Amino acid sequence: GRLLRASLRMGPGLRDFLRRATLSADDDPGDVRELLLGPLSADESLRLVGEIIRGERLGRIDAATLLKEGHGHPLFLTQLAHRALAGEAAAAPDLPAALWDTVRAQPVEARQLIEVVSLAAGAVAQEVAARAAGLDAAQLARATASLRASHLVRTTGSRLEDAVEPYHDQVRAAVLDHLPPDEQRRHHRALAETLTARARPDAHALHLHWLGAGERARAGEAACRAAGEADALLAFDRAAQLWQRAVELADGDDE
């Protein structure tokens, strides 16, 4: 017999996708089982950390804080354990600090990419992120590979139009907490300029990035376009919010 085991991150439409993939198989798929993997329990979390940290050092770990910081997530627990092994604040687990240690250890081009991706309005095309970060195709490939290997970003594929985003919101938060305001404005401007040059720019993302760059007038113009797009899609609540933002950014402009 043969066994195929695959894992997928839960997301909108995932169950329907799996069901269609199973039903469309040419041959009988056989015994197909779905297993939902939730957070690790407290005992499982401590056991995982114990596999990495052994001996007296494990006894010095603040177990309650470790469980709180780790959220039952194997990646976070592993990051915390390795930080403790390195001798940094072993008795007081700190997830943001552990994640930042991983980011800080990345090559320069990977650091540039994760900074831009963390500031992007949701998932962003890899081509957009690369241009905003000032990376060419080869640098993008190296940076993406390094960040994926460290579980700092996830992608939907390897093509330039495929999306890239932080692996988890905790990664995004750790990066933004250490990114100075002037650097954030610079990245927002680069993202806005890159999106503006595209054939069909995302008006809502443009609004957010021009605003982040301190360009209130251009942010207001983008908010107007985004409101019109939302209105056409019958997303009236979102359209109303965007019209309100456009009015606020108009600074008394009668039009």
Side-chain angles (χ1 to χ4, degrees), residues 55-121:
E56 295 181 0
R57 184 171 291 177
L58 179 60
R60 297 200 303 270
I61 295 291
D62 181 344
T65 304
L66 175 73
L67 295 175
K68 180 181 177 181
E69 291 286 304
H71 302 285
H73 196 303
L75 170 63
F76 297 158
L77 292 164
T78 301
Q79 295 273 11
L80 290 166
H82 282 296
R83 186 167 194 264
L85 272 181
E88 299 186 43
D94 184 337
L95 179 59
L99 292 172
W100 178 244
D101 286 344
T102 305
V103 172
R104 189 172 54 181
Q106 293 293 308
V108 173
E109 55 199 18
R111 282 278 301 274
Q112 292 172 332
L113 185 62
I114 189 62
E115 289 176 2
V116 167
V117 169
S118 295
L119 275 170

Side-chain angles (χ1 to χ4, degrees), residues 3-248:
L3 170 67
L4 171 64
R5 182 176 61 186
S7 62
L8 289 172
R9 180 189 293 263
M10 184 60 71
L14 176 59
R15 289 190 180 279
D16 288 340
F17 167 76
L18 291 174
R19 191 172 294 109
R20 289 196 304 271
T22 300
L23 293 176
S24 64
D26 293 334
D27 301 320
D28 180 2
D31 183 12
V32 178
R33 305 184 189 186
E34 292 182 22
L35 299 177
L36 182 62
L37 300 179
L40 298 179
S41 68
D43 288 343
E44 291 168 337
S45 296
L46 292 174
R47 191 156 61 247
L48 172 61
V49 172
E51 290 294 324
I52 301 172
I53 306 174
R54 300 177 183 274
E56 295 181 0
R57 184 171 291 177
L58 179 60
R60 297 200 303 270
I61 295 291
D62 181 344
T65 304
L66 175 73
L67 295 175
K68 180 181 177 181
E69 291 286 304
H71 302 285
H73 196 303
L75 170 63
F76 297 158
L77 292 164
T78 301
Q79 295 273 11
L80 290 166
H82 282 296
R83 186 167 194 264
L85 272 181
E88 299 186 43
D94 184 337
L95 179 59
L99 292 172
W100 178 244
D101 286 344
T102 305
V103 172
R104 189 172 54 181
Q106 293 293 308
V108 173
E109 55 199 18
R111 282 278 301 274
Q112 292 172 332
L113 185 62
I114 189 62
E115 289 176 2
V116 167
V117 169
S118 295
L119 275 170
V124 62
Q126 293 178 48
E127 181 181 25
V128 171
R131 288 182 180 276
L135 306 179
D136 60 27
Q139 290 172 323
L140 171 65
R142 289 195 299 268
T144 303
S146 179
L147 294 171
R148 280 176 56 92
S150 298
H151 299 292
L152 293 173
V153 302
R154 59 192 181 110
T155 64
T156 57
S158 58
R159 298 172 302 178
L160 291 177
E161 284 301 314
D162 288 330
V164 58
E165 62 182 323
Y167 188 86
H168 194 281
D169 282 342
Q170 293 278 0
V171 174
R172 186 194 306 273
V175 173
L176 297 186
D177 282 348
H178 291 84
L179 197 58
D182 57 336
E183 284 295 294
Q184 293 195 29
R185 286 191 293 271
R186 182 174 67 84
H187 288 318
H188 274 303
R189 180 177 295 278
L191 281 162
E193 291 174 347
T194 302
L195 287 171
T196 300
R198 290 171 69 84
R200 299 179 61 184
D202 181 336
H204 186 260
L206 272 177
H207 156 62
L208 295 176
H209 292 310
W210 282 128
L211 192 60
E215 297 280 357
R216 291 175 58 85
R218 301 182 80 167
E221 294 171 2
C224 283
R225 292 197 299 275
E229 293 175 1
D231 192 55
L233 294 172
L234 306 183
F236 300 126
D237 287 343
R238 183 178 181 185
Q241 293 171 357
L242 287 164
W243 285 125
Q244 181 62 39
R245 290 297 295 135
V247 171
E248 293 170 356

